Amino acid sequence: MTDVGPESILVRVVFAPDAGAPLPDVIRELEDVLEVMDFALFLSHGDAVRWENGGGRGQVRLTRLDHGTPVTVDIELVMSGGLGLTHADALAGVAATGTVLLTAARSGEPTEDPDDTVPTDEPVPTARQVDAVAERRVVEAMERVAYDARGTDLAWRIREAEDQNVTTADGTLGKGLRFVRAAGRLASNDGFDFRME
């Protein structure tokens, strides 16, 4: 990560879609990457720090997309309103988010847990069943990361996001639900990787 301005930090994320994936598929996955980075920004500062530093709201901006193999994106975390976000804060949020993603991706091997498999009496699992398993793995990974960070603000922010797992009456998805769905889709990709440069 490098500074690109007094109120912004640049993060490079590498993710690996299927080899030769068409650009529309890459764009859909990019939307999930941006959702995940928005969650990382939330983990980086949380509401308390935001209000202490003027109440600004951070933004996630795509600055470059390299449609190669793997796909590389440069994302700018912008601290509008004087969020007071430092490299250490951003690194903590992005690293925690990356740990959740990689933990969920690596937990995809077959398991004896009946709740972690799709029903065997159906010849082909539905897309929703596959998504539900992936999302459950993400939630379990979030809980593991929060436990490892127990006693810190980071753990509290992960728990807060986990509680935001509903859809409001106007159809707005909670922060935690948006992250879990996006992370579940990303972590289900073959060859998925997440790293900062």
PDB file of all heavy atoms in Angstrom, residues 4-5 10 21 29 38 43-44 72 74 78 80 85 89 91 109 111 113 115 121-122 135 160 186 191 193-194 197:
ATOM      1  N   VAL A   4      -1.334   7.946  -1.912  1.00  0.00           N
ATOM      2  CA  VAL A   4      -1.514   8.643  -3.177  1.00  0.00           C
ATOM      3  C   VAL A   4      -2.031  10.054  -2.943  1.00  0.00           C
ATOM      4  O   VAL A   4      -2.212  10.805  -3.877  1.00  0.00           O
ATOM      5  CB  VAL A   4      -2.473   7.867  -4.111  1.00  0.00           C
ATOM      6  CG1 VAL A   4      -1.851   6.565  -4.535  1.00  0.00           C
ATOM      7  CG2 VAL A   4      -3.809   7.623  -3.448  1.00  0.00           C
ATOM      8  N   GLY A   5      -2.254  10.411  -1.727  1.00  0.00           N
ATOM      9  CA  GLY A   5      -2.708  11.742  -1.376  1.00  0.00           C
ATOM     10  C   GLY A   5      -2.833  11.833   0.124  1.00  0.00           C
ATOM     11  O   GLY A   5      -2.737  10.828   0.829  1.00  0.00           O
ATOM     12  N   LEU A  10      -3.686   3.677  -1.349  1.00  0.00           N
ATOM     13  CA  LEU A  10      -3.869   2.786  -2.499  1.00  0.00           C
ATOM     14  C   LEU A  10      -3.603   1.351  -2.091  1.00  0.00           C
ATOM     15  O   LEU A  10      -2.612   1.051  -1.439  1.00  0.00           O
ATOM     16  CB  LEU A  10      -2.916   3.186  -3.625  1.00  0.00           C
ATOM     17  CG  LEU A  10      -3.039   2.403  -4.931  1.00  0.00           C
ATOM     18  CD1 LEU A  10      -4.368   2.735  -5.608  1.00  0.00           C
ATOM     19  CD2 LEU A  10      -1.879   2.735  -5.858  1.00  0.00           C
ATOM     20  N   ALA A  21     -11.585 -16.184 -18.417  1.00  0.00           N
ATOM     21  CA  ALA A  21     -12.943 -15.743 -18.087  1.00  0.00           C
ATOM     22  C   ALA A  21     -13.302 -14.511 -18.918  1.00  0.00           C
ATOM     23  O   ALA A  21     -12.485 -13.605 -19.085  1.00  0.00           O
ATOM     24  CB  ALA A  21     -13.032 -15.403 -16.603  1.00  0.00           C
ATOM     25  N   GLU A  29     -17.240 -10.229 -10.735  1.00  0.00           N
ATOM     26  CA  GLU A  29     -16.365 -10.539  -9.610  1.00  0.00           C
ATOM     27  C   GLU A  29     -15.745  -9.273  -9.043  1.00  0.00           C
ATOM     28  O   GLU A  29     -15.506  -9.162  -7.844  1.00  0.00           O
ATOM     29  CB  GLU A  29     -15.286 -11.530 -10.049  1.00  0.00           C
ATOM     30  CG  GLU A  29     -15.867 -12.902 -10.336  1.00  0.00           C
ATOM     31  CD  GLU A  29     -14.819 -13.921 -10.748  1.00  0.00           C
ATOM     32  OE1 GLU A  29     -13.670 -13.524 -11.033  1.00  0.00           O
ATOM     33  OE2 GLU A  29     -15.153 -15.112 -10.773  1.00  0.00           O
ATOM     34  N   ASP A  38     -14.960  -2.442   0.678  1.00  0.00           N
ATOM     35  CA  ASP A  38     -15.769  -1.545   1.491  1.00  0.00           C
ATOM     36  C   ASP A  38     -15.854  -2.073   2.920  1.00  0.00           C
ATOM     37  O   ASP A  38     -15.777  -1.317   3.889  1.00  0.00           O
ATOM     38  CB  ASP A  38     -17.168  -1.393   0.884  1.00  0.00           C
ATOM     39  CG  ASP A  38     -18.004  -0.370   1.628  1.00  0.00           C
ATOM     40  OD1 ASP A  38     -17.604   0.808   1.655  1.00  0.00           O
ATOM     41  OD2 ASP A  38     -19.053  -0.747   2.201  1.00  0.00           O
ATOM     42  N   LEU A  43     -13.775  -2.159   8.653  1.00  0.00           N
ATOM     43  CA  LEU A  43     -12.956  -2.759   9.705  1.00  0.00           C
ATOM     44  C   LEU A  43     -11.770  -1.882  10.060  1.00  0.00           C
ATOM     45  O   LEU A  43     -11.244  -1.961  11.169  1.00  0.00           O
ATOM     46  CB  LEU A  43     -12.455  -4.144   9.283  1.00  0.00           C
ATOM     47  CG  LEU A  43     -13.487  -5.250   9.123  1.00  0.00           C
ATOM     48  CD1 LEU A  43     -12.790  -6.581   8.839  1.00  0.00           C
ATOM     49  CD2 LEU A  43     -14.372  -5.374  10.355  1.00  0.00           C
ATOM     50  N   SER A  44     -11.339  -1.040   9.118  1.00  0.00           N
ATOM     51  CA  SER A  44     -10.163  -0.207   9.347  1.00  0.00           C
ATOM     52  C   SER A  44     -10.420   0.910  10.353  1.00  0.00           C
ATOM     53  O   SER A  44      -9.510   1.325  11.056  1.00  0.00           O
ATOM     54  CB  SER A  44      -9.683   0.430   8.035  1.00  0.00           C
ATOM     55  OG  SER A  44      -9.269  -0.551   7.124  1.00  0.00           O
ATOM     56  N   THR A  72      -5.831  -7.987 -11.820  1.00  0.00           N
ATOM     57  CA  THR A  72      -5.270  -7.115 -10.787  1.00  0.00           C
ATOM     58  C   THR A  72      -6.073  -5.823 -10.761  1.00  0.00           C
ATOM     59  O   THR A  72      -6.374  -5.257 -11.813  1.00  0.00           O
ATOM     60  CB  THR A  72      -3.792  -6.792 -11.093  1.00  0.00           C
ATOM     61  OG1 THR A  72      -3.066  -8.007 -11.194  1.00  0.00           O
ATOM     62  CG2 THR A  72      -3.187  -5.933  -9.995  1.00  0.00           C
ATOM     63  N   ASP A  74      -6.332  -1.935  -8.770  1.00  0.00           N
ATOM     64  CA  ASP A  74      -5.847  -0.942  -7.827  1.00  0.00           C
ATOM     65  C   ASP A  74      -7.068  -0.233  -7.268  1.00  0.00           C
ATOM     66  O   ASP A  74      -7.919   0.244  -8.019  1.00  0.00           O
ATOM     67  CB  ASP A  74      -4.934   0.084  -8.505  1.00  0.00           C
ATOM     68  CG  ASP A  74      -3.581  -0.508  -8.871  1.00  0.00           C
ATOM     69  OD1 ASP A  74      -3.270  -1.602  -8.368  1.00  0.00           O
ATOM     70  OD2 ASP A  74      -2.854   0.125  -9.647  1.00  0.00           O
ATOM     71  N   VAL A  78     -10.421   6.157   0.222  1.00  0.00           N
ATOM     72  CA  VAL A  78     -10.445   7.607   0.377  1.00  0.00           C
ATOM     73  C   VAL A  78     -11.106   7.953   1.702  1.00  0.00           C
ATOM     74  O   VAL A  78     -12.235   7.549   1.975  1.00  0.00           O
ATOM     75  CB  VAL A  78     -11.207   8.279  -0.783  1.00  0.00           C
ATOM     76  CG1 VAL A  78     -11.172   9.796  -0.637  1.00  0.00           C
ATOM     77  CG2 VAL A  78     -10.610   7.860  -2.115  1.00  0.00           C
ATOM     78  N   SER A  80     -12.621  10.603   3.155  1.00  0.00           N
ATOM     79  CA  SER A  80     -13.265  11.904   3.083  1.00  0.00           C
ATOM     80  C   SER A  80     -13.730  12.328   4.469  1.00  0.00           C
ATOM     81  O   SER A  80     -14.094  11.498   5.294  1.00  0.00           O
ATOM     82  CB  SER A  80     -14.452  11.848   2.123  1.00  0.00           C
ATOM     83  OG  SER A  80     -15.353  10.844   2.519  1.00  0.00           O
ATOM     84  N   LEU A  85      -7.477   7.944   9.105  1.00  0.00           N
ATOM     85  CA  LEU A  85      -7.061   6.573   8.843  1.00  0.00           C
ATOM     86  C   LEU A  85      -5.578   6.544   8.492  1.00  0.00           C
ATOM     87  O   LEU A  85      -5.105   7.335   7.693  1.00  0.00           O
ATOM     88  CB  LEU A  85      -7.880   6.010   7.684  1.00  0.00           C
ATOM     89  CG  LEU A  85      -7.811   4.517   7.426  1.00  0.00           C
ATOM     90  CD1 LEU A  85      -8.353   3.751   8.618  1.00  0.00           C
ATOM     91  CD2 LEU A  85      -8.620   4.175   6.179  1.00  0.00           C
ATOM     92  N   ASP A  89      -3.960   1.273  10.246  1.00  0.00           N
ATOM     93  CA  ASP A  89      -5.402   1.005  10.339  1.00  0.00           C
ATOM     94  C   ASP A  89      -5.891   0.265   9.099  1.00  0.00           C
ATOM     95  O   ASP A  89      -6.600  -0.742   9.190  1.00  0.00           O
ATOM     96  CB  ASP A  89      -6.190   2.313  10.472  1.00  0.00           C
ATOM     97  CG  ASP A  89      -5.878   3.075  11.739  1.00  0.00           C
ATOM     98  OD1 ASP A  89      -5.583   2.420  12.755  1.00  0.00           O
ATOM     99  OD2 ASP A  89      -5.919   4.316  11.707  1.00  0.00           O
ATOM    100  N   LEU A  91      -4.141  -1.385   6.890  1.00  0.00           N
ATOM    101  CA  LEU A  91      -3.523  -2.706   6.783  1.00  0.00           C
ATOM    102  C   LEU A  91      -4.255  -3.711   7.670  1.00  0.00           C
ATOM    103  O   LEU A  91      -4.504  -4.844   7.259  1.00  0.00           O
ATOM    104  CB  LEU A  91      -2.054  -2.630   7.170  1.00  0.00           C
ATOM    105  CG  LEU A  91      -1.269  -3.936   7.085  1.00  0.00           C
ATOM    106  CD1 LEU A  91      -1.300  -4.490   5.665  1.00  0.00           C
ATOM    107  CD2 LEU A  91       0.163  -3.731   7.539  1.00  0.00           C
ATOM    108  N   GLU A 109     -12.649 -27.863   1.243  1.00  0.00           N
ATOM    109  CA  GLU A 109     -12.445 -29.288   1.019  1.00  0.00           C
ATOM    110  C   GLU A 109     -13.586 -30.092   1.639  1.00  0.00           C
ATOM    111  O   GLU A 109     -14.248 -29.637   2.558  1.00  0.00           O
ATOM    112  CB  GLU A 109     -11.108 -29.745   1.641  1.00  0.00           C
ATOM    113  CG  GLU A 109      -9.891 -29.261   0.902  1.00  0.00           C
ATOM    114  CD  GLU A 109      -9.540 -27.821   1.211  1.00  0.00           C
ATOM    115  OE1 GLU A 109      -9.918 -27.345   2.297  1.00  0.00           O
ATOM    116  OE2 GLU A 109      -8.910 -27.179   0.372  1.00  0.00           O
ATOM    117  N   THR A 111     -15.839 -32.349   3.924  1.00  0.00           N
ATOM    118  CA  THR A 111     -15.832 -32.456   5.378  1.00  0.00           C
ATOM    119  C   THR A 111     -16.889 -33.446   5.825  1.00  0.00           C
ATOM    120  O   THR A 111     -17.812 -33.772   5.083  1.00  0.00           O
ATOM    121  CB  THR A 111     -16.093 -31.079   6.023  1.00  0.00           C
ATOM    122  OG1 THR A 111     -16.215 -31.241   7.433  1.00  0.00           O
ATOM    123  CG2 THR A 111     -17.347 -30.445   5.494  1.00  0.00           C
ATOM    124  N   ASP A 113     -18.886 -32.793   8.293  1.00  0.00           N
ATOM    125  CA  ASP A 113     -19.969 -32.028   8.897  1.00  0.00           C
ATOM    126  C   ASP A 113     -21.177 -32.042   7.961  1.00  0.00           C
ATOM    127  O   ASP A 113     -21.107 -31.505   6.860  1.00  0.00           O
ATOM    128  CB  ASP A 113     -19.505 -30.591   9.154  1.00  0.00           C
ATOM    129  CG  ASP A 113     -20.558 -29.768   9.882  1.00  0.00           C
ATOM    130  OD1 ASP A 113     -21.694 -30.267  10.046  1.00  0.00           O
ATOM    131  OD2 ASP A 113     -20.255 -28.640  10.277  1.00  0.00           O
ATOM    132  N   ASP A 115     -23.809 -30.322   7.992  1.00  0.00           N
ATOM    133  CA  ASP A 115     -24.317 -28.986   7.703  1.00  0.00           C
ATOM    134  C   ASP A 115     -23.489 -28.287   6.642  1.00  0.00           C
ATOM    135  O   ASP A 115     -23.883 -27.257   6.122  1.00  0.00           O
ATOM    136  CB  ASP A 115     -24.322 -28.125   8.975  1.00  0.00           C
ATOM    137  CG  ASP A 115     -25.352 -28.614   9.975  1.00  0.00           C
ATOM    138  OD1 ASP A 115     -26.331 -29.239   9.534  1.00  0.00           O
ATOM    139  OD2 ASP A 115     -25.172 -28.376  11.181  1.00  0.00           O
ATOM    140  N   ASP A 121     -29.218 -36.399  -1.727  1.00  0.00           N
ATOM    141  CA  ASP A 121     -30.310 -37.039  -2.448  1.00  0.00           C
ATOM    142  C   ASP A 121     -30.689 -36.255  -3.711  1.00  0.00           C
ATOM    143  O   ASP A 121     -31.544 -36.691  -4.465  1.00  0.00           O
ATOM    144  CB  ASP A 121     -31.534 -37.198  -1.544  1.00  0.00           C
ATOM    145  CG  ASP A 121     -32.000 -35.877  -0.956  1.00  0.00           C
ATOM    146  OD1 ASP A 121     -31.237 -34.893  -1.017  1.00  0.00           O
ATOM    147  OD2 ASP A 121     -33.130 -35.841  -0.437  1.00  0.00           O
ATOM    148  N   GLU A 122     -30.050 -35.120  -3.947  1.00  0.00           N
ATOM    149  CA  GLU A 122     -30.290 -34.370  -5.165  1.00  0.00           C
ATOM    150  C   GLU A 122     -29.104 -34.563  -6.095  1.00  0.00           C
ATOM    151  O   GLU A 122     -27.960 -34.451  -5.677  1.00  0.00           O
ATOM    152  CB  GLU A 122     -30.478 -32.885  -4.855  1.00  0.00           C
ATOM    153  CG  GLU A 122     -31.710 -32.616  -4.013  1.00  0.00           C
ATOM    154  CD  GLU A 122     -31.928 -31.126  -3.810  1.00  0.00           C
ATOM    155  OE1 GLU A 122     -31.349 -30.341  -4.583  1.00  0.00           O
ATOM    156  OE2 GLU A 122     -32.668 -30.767  -2.894  1.00  0.00           O
ATOM    157  N   GLU A 135     -21.379 -19.200   2.043  1.00  0.00           N
ATOM    158  CA  GLU A 135     -21.631 -18.116   2.988  1.00  0.00           C
ATOM    159  C   GLU A 135     -21.436 -18.583   4.421  1.00  0.00           C
ATOM    160  O   GLU A 135     -20.929 -17.838   5.270  1.00  0.00           O
ATOM    161  CB  GLU A 135     -23.050 -17.572   2.776  1.00  0.00           C
ATOM    162  CG  GLU A 135     -23.193 -16.823   1.463  1.00  0.00           C
ATOM    163  CD  GLU A 135     -24.628 -16.565   1.056  1.00  0.00           C
ATOM    164  OE1 GLU A 135     -25.534 -16.710   1.920  1.00  0.00           O
ATOM    165  OE2 GLU A 135     -24.851 -16.243  -0.129  1.00  0.00           O
ATOM    166  N   GLU A 160     -20.044  -6.636  15.105  1.00  0.00           N
ATOM    167  CA  GLU A 160     -21.083  -5.678  14.722  1.00  0.00           C
ATOM    168  C   GLU A 160     -21.566  -5.961  13.297  1.00  0.00           C
ATOM    169  O   GLU A 160     -22.769  -5.954  13.018  1.00  0.00           O
ATOM    170  CB  GLU A 160     -20.536  -4.252  14.809  1.00  0.00           C
ATOM    171  CG  GLU A 160     -21.544  -3.190  14.421  1.00  0.00           C
ATOM    172  CD  GLU A 160     -20.961  -1.794  14.413  1.00  0.00           C
ATOM    173  OE1 GLU A 160     -19.737  -1.645  14.547  1.00  0.00           O
ATOM    174  OE2 GLU A 160     -21.751  -0.846  14.257  1.00  0.00           O
ATOM    175  N   LEU A 186     -16.589 -15.024  -4.051  1.00  0.00           N
ATOM    176  CA  LEU A 186     -15.163 -14.941  -4.384  1.00  0.00           C
ATOM    177  C   LEU A 186     -14.407 -16.171  -3.898  1.00  0.00           C
ATOM    178  O   LEU A 186     -13.591 -16.744  -4.622  1.00  0.00           O
ATOM    179  CB  LEU A 186     -14.548 -13.684  -3.760  1.00  0.00           C
ATOM    180  CG  LEU A 186     -14.882 -12.348  -4.417  1.00  0.00           C
ATOM    181  CD1 LEU A 186     -14.314 -11.206  -3.596  1.00  0.00           C
ATOM    182  CD2 LEU A 186     -14.352 -12.302  -5.842  1.00  0.00           C
ATOM    183  N   GLY A 191      -8.802 -21.538  -7.598  1.00  0.00           N
ATOM    184  CA  GLY A 191      -7.587 -20.750  -7.723  1.00  0.00           C
ATOM    185  C   GLY A 191      -7.677 -19.375  -7.102  1.00  0.00           C
ATOM    186  O   GLY A 191      -6.853 -18.503  -7.389  1.00  0.00           O
ATOM    187  N   ASP A 193      -7.189 -16.202  -4.906  1.00  0.00           N
ATOM    188  CA  ASP A 193      -6.090 -15.679  -4.103  1.00  0.00           C
ATOM    189  C   ASP A 193      -6.389 -14.228  -3.772  1.00  0.00           C
ATOM    190  O   ASP A 193      -7.110 -13.548  -4.496  1.00  0.00           O
ATOM    191  CB  ASP A 193      -4.749 -15.801  -4.845  1.00  0.00           C
ATOM    192  CG  ASP A 193      -3.558 -15.618  -3.920  1.00  0.00           C
ATOM    193  OD1 ASP A 193      -3.758 -15.638  -2.684  1.00  0.00           O
ATOM    194  OD2 ASP A 193      -2.440 -15.445  -4.418  1.00  0.00           O
ATOM    195  N   PHE A 194      -5.847 -13.770  -2.672  1.00  0.00           N
ATOM    196  CA  PHE A 194      -6.061 -12.400  -2.207  1.00  0.00           C
ATOM    197  C   PHE A 194      -4.784 -11.944  -1.554  1.00  0.00           C
ATOM    198  O   PHE A 194      -4.326 -12.572  -0.607  1.00  0.00           O
ATOM    199  CB  PHE A 194      -7.209 -12.388  -1.179  1.00  0.00           C
ATOM    200  CG  PHE A 194      -7.547 -11.029  -0.629  1.00  0.00           C
ATOM    201  CD1 PHE A 194      -8.633 -10.324  -1.110  1.00  0.00           C
ATOM    202  CD2 PHE A 194      -6.784 -10.460   0.377  1.00  0.00           C
ATOM    203  CE1 PHE A 194      -8.956  -9.075  -0.594  1.00  0.00           C
ATOM    204  CE2 PHE A 194      -7.099  -9.217   0.900  1.00  0.00           C
ATOM    205  CZ  PHE A 194      -8.182  -8.519   0.407  1.00  0.00           C
ATOM    206  N   GLU A 197      -0.103  -5.719  -2.404  1.00  0.00           N
ATOM    207  CA  GLU A 197       1.228  -5.442  -2.916  1.00  0.00           C
ATOM    208  C   GLU A 197       1.602  -4.010  -2.600  1.00  0.00           C
ATOM    209  O   GLU A 197       0.752  -3.164  -2.499  1.00  0.00           O
ATOM    210  CB  GLU A 197       1.300  -5.686  -4.421  1.00  0.00           C
ATOM    211  CG  GLU A 197       1.014  -7.130  -4.786  1.00  0.00           C
ATOM    212  CD  GLU A 197       1.113  -7.365  -6.279  1.00  0.00           C
ATOM    213  OE1 GLU A 197       1.302  -6.399  -7.022  1.00  0.00           O
ATOM    214  OE2 GLU A 197       1.000  -8.525  -6.688  1.00  0.00           O
TER     215      GLU A 197
END
